[in-house]
Amino acid sequence: MAAIGIGFFILWLALAMWVYFDATDRGKASIGWALAMFLAGWLLVAPLILYLIFRDVGARPAVAPGAGRRQYLYIVGFVGFATLVIGLSLLISTTIARIISEEAVGDEGYREALAASVAAIIIGAAIWIYHWLRAEGRLRSITEDEEFRATFFLHRAYLYTLFAVSWIIAFLSGMWFLGGGLANAFGVEHVEPVGWLPALGPLVVALLAVGTHYLFSFETASYKQLLSRFEAIPPPPLIGASAPAEVRATTVVPTAPPAAERTERRFCSHCGARVGGDDAFCSSCGERLRSA
């Protein structure tokens, strides 16, 4: 049952991360849409349908080529890493609880949790390592500036999102661990180590996630070179909305009328036809014209 629960959570997380990374690629409010997916988990289909309706509405940056491939790599990589983190946290927390009290975690429950956590670790690690290495290799091999800028933008969003989520997990589990430890030290009733020591699992895993990505993917010479190239490329043009009209003041300069219009107009006194200024006879009736 634990494995099934993890599977449904990973599926839900994958859909939420697709919305997040796709909105990031399109210049939309990615955090807002992702929060809508998480907070409205019981209405999972509703935020997804709304996003599909409004994803191409309004002003947005032009999407560079290769959007599907780059989104796939970072979405699946993030989901794989999340699966790995869940498996490690479950394994450490359940083992700590089992060591503290066999009554808290029975033999059957521990074996079930152990099987689910090991499966999550193996599958998550394989998926994450494969897709993350492919994503980094593809990023370095892109030569077209527009696609590189869009790919690096998602790459950086992936790292910042992982840092933010990991720090939130570390903060919450750290508060749980520290609060329970202090309460136990102060002799608060009904506070047992089995209630707060398992929080050490997600705390350690979250800190390892931050440290690993910071040292090997963020604070590196390769990342800084990619960042310099990214900053040198201008952002894509906006589409989906007409640019504001420019109002330009125009100065009307009076011009002199043509020479033909400045001369006095002549008409035949016999038939009324218009004649030229140098004509001696009317071209219509042939009568001799009187001189002006």
Side-chain angles (χ1 to χ4, degrees), residues 100-101 176 180-181 183-184 188-198:
I100 295 174
S101 173
W176 179 14
N184 191 69
V188 178
E189 295 183 0
H190 308 296
V191 176
E192 300 293 337
V194 72
W196 54 271
L197 269 178

Side-chain angles (χ1 to χ4, degrees), residues 205-248:
V205 174
L207 293 177
L208 284 175
V210 172
T212 302
H213 282 80
Y214 184 81
L215 293 176
F216 298 103
S217 298
F218 190 76
E219 195 62 27
T220 62
S222 175
Y223 179 85
K224 293 178 180 178
Q225 291 176 357
L226 296 174
L227 178 61
S228 299
R229 180 185 172 187
F230 168 80
E231 293 175 344
I233 301 173
L238 291 177
I239 60 174
S242 58
E246 296 181 1
V247 180
R248 297 184 177 89

Side-chain angles (χ1 to χ4, degrees), residues 268 270-275 279-289:
C268 176
H270 183 264
C271 67
R274 184 175 178 178
V275 295
D279 292 344
F281 297 91
C282 177
S283 59
S284 297
C285 63
E287 290 290 327
R288 184 179 181 84
L289 301 175

Side-chain angles (χ1 to χ4, degrees), residues 15 17-20 43 61 65 74 84 106 116 164 181 204 207 217 226 233 236-237 241 245 266 289-290:
L15 290 174
M17 294 314 299
W18 174 79
V19 171
Y20 174 76
L43 290 174
Y74 288 107
L84 173 62
V204 171
L207 293 177
S217 298
L226 296 174
I233 301 173
R266 297 179 62 197
L289 301 175
R290 290 181 295 180

Side-chain angles (χ1 to χ4, degrees), residues 86-257:
I86 292 172
L88 287 173
S89 301
L90 179 62
L91 176 63
I92 297 174
S93 298
T94 308
T95 302
I96 292 175
R98 172 71 175 178
I99 293 173
I100 295 174
S101 173
E102 294 185 0
E103 296 179 356
V105 181
D107 292 339
E108 187 68 22
Y110 182 68
R111 284 195 294 267
E112 182 181 353
L114 186 64
S117 60
V118 171
I121 291 171
I122 295 174
I123 295 174
I127 293 175
W128 170 61
I129 292 173
Y130 174 76
H131 288 85
W132 179 243
L133 292 179
R134 284 196 60 188
E136 285 200 323
R138 181 175 181 272
L139 178 62
R140 296 189 183 95
S141 64
I142 296 175
T143 57
E144 202 274 327
D145 285 345
E146 183 181 359
E147 185 177 359
F148 171 81
R149 192 183 196 282
T151 304
F152 184 84
F153 192 78
L154 277 190
H155 184 87
R156 188 173 61 174
Y158 169 93
L159 290 175
Y160 285 158
T161 304
L162 189 143
F163 288 148
V165 173
S166 298
W167 279 120
I168 291 173
I169 294 174
F171 173 77
L172 295 177
S173 56
M175 291 291 292
W176 179 14
F177 178 78
L178 182 60
L182 291 176
N184 191 69
F186 294 154
V188 178
E189 295 183 0
H190 308 296
V191 176
E192 300 293 337
V194 72
W196 54 271
L197 269 178
L200 194 61
L203 174 61
V204 171
V205 174
L207 293 177
L208 284 175
V210 172
T212 302
H213 282 80
Y214 184 81
L215 293 176
F216 298 103
S217 298
F218 190 76
E219 195 62 27
T220 62
S222 175
Y223 179 85
K224 293 178 180 178
Q225 291 176 357
L226 296 174
L227 178 61
S228 299
R229 180 185 172 187
F230 168 80
E231 293 175 344
I233 301 173
L238 291 177
I239 60 174
S242 58
E246 296 181 1
V247 180
R248 297 184 177 89
T250 57
T251 303
V252 178
V253 180
T255 57

Side-chain angles (χ1 to χ4, degrees), residues 61-80:
V63 179
R69 185 177 181 184
R70 63 174 172 267
Q71 289 179 14
Y72 160 77
L73 290 175
Y74 288 107
I75 291 170
V76 178
F78 190 93
V79 171

